Amino acid sequence: MAKNTADGDTIIIKKYANRRLYNTQSSSYITLEDLARMVRTGVDFQVLDAKTGSDITHTILTQIIMEEEANGEHMLPVSFLRQLIGMYGNSMQAMMPPYLEATMENFQSNQSKLREAFQSSMGPDAFTKMAEQNMAMFQAAAGAFMPGGSAAPLATQPEGKSDEIDALKAQMAAMQRKLDELGK
């Protein structure tokens, strides 16, 4: 998945004692967020301790995951984390890294296939169609709770309700854009 830079080399990042990260290719200081962005775009890098020269890439990548998890981007369930911690020191510990790596590669392959199948069967505006269907269901459900018992069309909704529906539509459109970005 990782790709090399234009000149074919892995980017070397040096970490100094003051916790600053230095990109030797761009001759600039960077942040963990910059490294996360590099990972997401497939740029290959190696992080070295500036003093000892030892490879600390694993530690830095783990730190990025910890920051993502701490910032509310929970992707790792507590039960998984407990099981993972329980594997340290276990006789099966040596088998876990290749197993997890193969599992992640399989997941990514299936994710691509699922995305392709979804787009070919439902088309590129599938999420828009689902949003329209969800809005229709929402209107029908809202109509059940309105005086008179039936959902009025959007054009005849009271002013306050129309504003609420417009706000919901805007939220759904924003979610659609985010989903489209994730699908790319």
Side-chain angles (χ1 to χ4, degrees), residues 157-169:
Q157 291 288 346
E159 185 65 32
K161 294 293 181 188
S162 180
D163 291 344
E164 289 176 7
I165 291 173
D166 289 341
L168 288 171
K169 283 183 178 179

Side-chain angles (χ1 to χ4, degrees), residues 119-137:
Q119 286 179 343
S120 66
S121 68
M122 296 187 75
D125 59 344
F127 289 115
T128 304
K129 291 176 187 173
M130 283 193 290
E132 290 169 356
Q133 290 173 346
N134 288 341
M135 185 56 72
M137 288 189 299

Side-chain angles (χ1 to χ4, degrees), residues 14 32 86 89 95 98 102 118 135 144 160 163 168 172:
K14 291 186 178 181
L32 287 176
M95 292 175 28
F118 184 74
M135 185 56 72
D163 291 344
L168 288 171
M172 292 189 75

Side-chain angles (χ1 to χ4, degrees), residues 47-82:
V47 183
L48 302 176
D49 183 284
K51 185 175 182 179
T52 65
S54 61
D55 185 351
I56 57 171
T57 307
H58 184 275
T59 303
I60 296 298
L61 293 174
T62 304
Q63 188 176 355
I64 291 170
I65 292 170
M66 287 176 42
E67 285 201 8
E68 292 286 343
E69 290 285 321
N71 291 332
E73 298 294 326
H74 299 291
M75 189 170 27
L76 302 173
V78 171
S79 60
F80 173 81
L81 293 171
R82 290 178 193 270

Side-chain angles (χ1 to χ4, degrees), residues 12-63:
I12 300 298
I13 309 295
K14 291 186 178 181
K15 182 175 183 282
Y16 290 93
N18 63 2
R19 301 176 64 183
R20 293 192 74 183
L21 298 164
Y22 184 76
N23 182 332
T24 59
Q25 183 188 46
S26 65
S27 299
S28 61
Y29 287 100
I30 61 172
T31 64
L32 287 176
E33 198 172 294
D34 295 323
L35 288 179
R37 197 172 10 265
M38 290 169 69
V39 169
R40 288 182 187 105
T41 59
V43 175
D44 193 21
F45 63 85
Q46 181 180 25
V47 183
L48 302 176
D49 183 284
K51 185 175 182 179
T52 65
S54 61
D55 185 351
I56 57 171
T57 307
H58 184 275
T59 303
I60 296 298
L61 293 174
T62 304
Q63 188 176 355

Side-chain angles (χ1 to χ4, degrees), residues 87-99:
M87 295 298 289
Y88 283 94
N90 188 317
S91 61
M92 302 294 280
Q93 179 179 346
M95 292 175 28
M96 284 304 294
Y99 173 77

